[in-house]
Amino acid sequence: MQDAHQGCMSMPFYKGGDLDAWIQDNPFADLATRRRIATGLLYGLHDLHSRGFVHCDIKPKNIFLAPSLSPVLGDFDGV
């Protein structure tokens, strides 16, 4: 959403929580699951960069997980 003075971005709630909490809860997750999350994150970053955006605060707390463990980048403050 945007008006003449400011913009606002909203995103859905992801029940899977963030990647930081998932790592704490699943310290011995199998390699295939970790690889699937990392690959999804790389695809998301590639898509952002191809559109001219740069995410300046990538960290596990800013990566949310859908129930299928698909990663979703969040916290676009300052993009």
Side-chain angles (χ1 to χ4, degrees), residues 39-60:
T39 301
L41 180 58
L42 291 173
Y43 276 119
L45 288 171
H46 179 269
D47 188 52
L48 275 177
H49 291 172
S50 70
R51 296 169 191 257
F53 292 98
V54 177
H55 194 296
C56 298
D57 193 20
I58 297 172
K59 59 186 176 188

Side-chain angles (χ1 to χ4, degrees), residues 31-45:
L31 182 60
T33 302
R34 291 172 183 257
R35 187 175 288 152
R36 188 174 71 226
I37 292 170
T39 301
L41 180 58
L42 291 173
Y43 276 119
L45 288 171

Side-chain angles (χ1 to χ4, degrees), residues 54-56 75-79:
V54 177
H55 194 296
C56 298
D75 192 6
F76 285 87
D77 188 37
V79 170

